[in-house]
């Protein structure tokens, strides 16, 4: 497959190149080879993208929701037809196994285009009767939205931000992560092919400073970031300078609580899905696995058995179910955490090493006897490292689960439904799971509380974050005044 894109940026309905920007090598994580080169946006490219998105605002907002929705749904259809090629590209961009990308990434992107395309015509205001007078509300777009993406789900993130933004009548300039610059260009190309007018959805490449330069431009009305908490703090602060709307999808250190009465096979499945999918590079992962003491050893034994089913290798091979880390840098960060886990006294149950193969592979790693104060239990690792902690009571588990500055997700496995709902109500997290983990359908809200974020993506809730209400008071009779 050709991995070199036509050009680095997609602006105003066409590919645009400017090789005077800083070179960004695109590295295939499974081999370490450079598979493409793109160039970071220069100030002139940033200006071109913002000007195009600004100029497109009025025409796009003036279209009916039905017209906008039809374009988004057509784009969804094209994405589904090209699922194979888009999945192969996602695997080159991220290193995630084709076994995953072929059912998750373009699929989830298409779901979001289809869902918000379907909602577009239903985005309306309301009528509020006040005696003979009345108020009506108009739900209006915010204007120009900037999207900034992380590297773990490049197609999905480009769509989860673009689809609701465009459905509400906004335009977008999207900057993917410099680590995975390829997939968002395809999203832009497909939206344009589906009929989105030039300038409605633009993609430019670049490192952090390019993202930073977008946020403070006076034409920008909203910034939606998917990234780490430290980046979120900077982006939030920069957006505040112009009182811009924000959505912050940030990191986590989520708890997964497994009670003695849980179905052990399902609980092990949840722990695997919540720690090792995408080689552990998922924001919502349940990396603090609290296991009640009565089933701790049985859980660890069955987990070790199930991990025999891990198949590392060429991620493009549909039989392979475990890919490399996205980059050498991320591999080094995760190895650093593994070393800390060992140094601080956690028991290494399995993994912890690089296998003898090219690329940035790391074995799935499980630590047991982890305590709340250890670094691996407190900081987001963003790699295939599961920490197993044990507990006695429900109250204790809930208190310890919530003892973190993060609040992205939380899960519970139990057969006791009352307890399951008590736990879900008590978790300080934006997304909770009962007897499952990491499902993220577009119909459900997704996002974090505490330092894990602001706002929600997906579901009807996202409409609130990409539109604003205007109230219009209408008087039908004469108007009295004091003088
Ligand atoms: N909550 C979610 O939905 C979600 C989803 C995926 C990933 N994440 C989080 O993303 C992180 C991993 O991704 P990452 O390493 O790419 O994150 P990151 O914070 O390093 O970078 C995210 C994006 O921000 C850009 N950026 C960096 N500094 C910037 C600045 N000062 N101004 C504007 N933009 C800037 C980067 O170029 C990149 O595009 C993890 O913490 C993970 O939990 C969250
Ligand atoms: C389960 C959805 C994951 C998105 C963030 O990494």
């Amino acid at each position: 497959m050709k991995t070199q894109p036509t050009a680095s940026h997609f602006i105003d309905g066409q590919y645009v190149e400017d090789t005077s920007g800083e070179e960004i090598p695109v590295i295939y994580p499974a081999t370490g080879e450079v598979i493409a080169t793109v160039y970071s946006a220069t100030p002139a490219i940033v200006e071109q993208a913002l000007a195009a998105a600004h100029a497109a605002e009025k025409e796009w907002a003036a279209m009916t929701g039905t017209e906008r929705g039809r374009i988004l749904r057509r784009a969804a259809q094209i994405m589904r037809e090209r699922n194979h090629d888009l999945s192969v590209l996602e695997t080159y961009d991220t290193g995630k196994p084709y076994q995953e990308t072929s059912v998750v990434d373009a699929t989830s992107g298409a779901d979001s285009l289809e869902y918000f395309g379907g909602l577009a015509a239903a985005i309306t205001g309301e009528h509020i009767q006040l005696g003979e007078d009345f108020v009506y509300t108009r739900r209006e777009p915010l204007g120009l939205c900037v999207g900034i993406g992380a590297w773990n789900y490049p197609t999905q993130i480009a769509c989860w931000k673009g689809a609701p933004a465009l459905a509400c009548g906004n335009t977008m300039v999207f900057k993917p992560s410099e680590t995975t610059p390829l997939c968002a260009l395809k999203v832009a190309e497909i939206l344009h092919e589906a009929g989105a007018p030039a300038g409605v959805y633009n993609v430019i490449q670049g490192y952090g400073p390019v993202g930073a330069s977008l946020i403070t431009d006076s034409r920008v009305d909203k910034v939606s970031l998917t990234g780490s908490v430290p980046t979120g703090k900077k982006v939030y602060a920069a957006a505040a300078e112009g009182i811009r709307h924000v959505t912050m999808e940030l990191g986590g250190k989520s708890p997964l609580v497994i009670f003695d009465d849980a179905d052990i096979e399902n609980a092990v499945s949840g722990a695997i899905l919540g720690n090792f999918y995408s080689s552990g590079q998922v924001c919502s992962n349940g990396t603090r696995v609290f296991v009640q003491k009565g089933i701790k050893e049985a859980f660890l034994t069955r987990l070790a058995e199930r991990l025999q089913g891990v198949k590392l290798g060429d991620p493009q091979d549909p039989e392979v179910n475990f890919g490399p880390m996205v980059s050498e840098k991320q591999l080094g960060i995760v190895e650093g955490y593994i070393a800390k886990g060992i140094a601080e006294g956690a028991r290494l149950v399995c993994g912890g090493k690089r296998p003898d193969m090219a690329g940035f592979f790391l074995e799935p790693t499980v630590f047991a006897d982890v305590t709340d104060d250890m670094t691996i239990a407190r900081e987001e690792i963003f790699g295939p490292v599961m920490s197993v902690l044990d507990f006695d009571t429900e109250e204790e588990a809930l208190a310890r689960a919530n003892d973190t500055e993060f609040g992205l997700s939380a899960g519970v496995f139990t057969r006791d439904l009352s307890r399951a709902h008590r736990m879900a109500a008590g978790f300080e997290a934006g997304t909770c799971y009962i007897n499952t983990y990491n499902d993220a359908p577009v119909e459900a809200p997704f996002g974090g509380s505490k330092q894990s974020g602001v706002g929600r993506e997906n579901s009807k809730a996202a409409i609130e974050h990409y539109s604003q209400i205007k109230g219009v008071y209408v008087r039908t009779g004469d108007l009295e005044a004091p003088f």
Side-chain angles (χ1 to χ4, degrees), residues 80-417:
R80 292 197 203 287
E81 285 161 12
R82 296 187 194 156
N83 184 59
H84 170 74
D85 285 356
L86 293 170
S87 306
V88 168
L89 189 68
E90 175 97 17
T91 291
Y92 276 122
D93 222 4
T94 62
K96 293 186 294 183
Y98 177 81
Q99 196 183 96
E100 286 186 21
T101 57
S102 59
V103 293
V104 169
D105 297 273
T107 309
S108 166
D111 284 354
S112 111
L113 290 163
E114 193 170 356
Y115 176 81
F116 288 105
L119 272 190
I123 300 171
T124 57
E126 62 176 340
H127 172 97
I128 305 156
Q129 195 69 44
L130 295 165
E132 293 190 346
D133 292 350
F134 61 94
V135 168
Y136 66 90
T137 64
R138 294 166 49 89
R139 188 161 278 283
E140 300 183 339
L142 301 173
L144 199 172
C145 301
V146 163
I148 301 176
W151 43 256
N152 59 341
Y153 282 86
T155 305
Q156 184 190 79
I157 293 170
C159 291
W160 280 18
K161 298 190 186 307
L166 268 52
C168 292
N170 305 283
T171 62
M172 178 162 270
V173 175
F174 184 81
K175 188 201 84 65
S177 165
E178 59 273 25
T179 312
T180 53
L182 303 181
C183 298
L185 290 168
K186 289 288 170 197
V187 173
E189 197 182 303
I190 287 170
L191 276 163
H192 184 62
E193 195 178 327
V200 164
Y201 188 89
N202 311 275
V203 171
I204 63 170
Q205 309 294 345
Y207 295 93
V210 170
S213 72
L214 289 169
I215 300 165
T216 48
D217 188 276
S218 61
R219 289 161 289 190
V220 171
D221 301 289
K222 161 151 188 144
V223 182
S224 176
L225 168 77
T226 296
S228 60
V229 172
T231 302
K233 288 180 181 174
K234 287 187 216 157
V235 171
Y236 204 168
E241 169 267 344
I243 320 287
R244 296 190 172 87
H245 297 256
V246 294
T247 293
M248 294 281 145
E249 289 287 345
L250 308 177
K253 188 72 194 174
S254 301
L256 171 55
V257 181
I258 299 171
F259 285 94
D260 281 347
D261 68 346
D263 178 305
I264 198 156
E265 281 306 310
N266 288 339
V268 170
S269 294
I272 289 173
L273 288 170
N275 280 271
F276 299 129
Y277 208 72
S278 299
S279 300
Q281 303 164 116
V282 182
C283 52
S284 46
N285 271 356
T287 48
R288 290 182 295 140
V289 181
F290 292 91
V291 184
Q292 206 164 13
K293 284 184 180 152
I295 55 158
K296 179 182 156 188
E297 287 313 319
F299 172 85
L300 287 172
T301 303
R302 192 61 193 124
L303 178 64
E305 286 166 6
R306 295 269 299 270
L307 286 176
Q308 301 298 314
V310 169
K311 188 161 182 212
L312 282 76
D314 174 5
Q316 298 288 1
D317 175 350
E319 297 300 314
V320 164
N321 59 22
F322 197 86
M325 301 278 83
V326 75
S327 63
E328 191 154 29
K329 179 178 164 209
Q330 190 62 20
L331 173 62
I333 291 172
V334 178
E335 285 187 306
Y337 277 110
I338 292 172
K340 272 195 184 136
I342 294 167
E344 291 177 16
R347 171 161 64 96
L348 185 64
V349 176
C350 61
K353 298 186 304 296
R354 291 186 190 200
D356 186 18
M357 51 205 291
F360 313 135
F361 287 89
L362 182 63
E363 293 169 349
T365 300
V366 178
F367 280 107
D369 305 334
V370 176
T371 53
D372 296 348
D373 56 336
M374 289 181 184
T375 308
I376 56 170
R378 302 218 68 78
E379 296 181 12
E380 182 182 46
I381 299 175
F382 225 56
V385 182
M386 182 193 299
S387 293
V388 178
L389 308 92
D390 35 64
F391 71 95
D392 290 301
T393 68
E394 180 182 324
E395 295 70 26
E396 174 203 346
L398 186 61
R400 290 172 59 198
N402 286 337
D403 182 20
T404 166
E405 71 267 25
F406 298 106
L408 191 53
S409 299
V412 57
F413 278 79
T414 175
R415 285 195 174 96
D416 179 340
L417 278 183

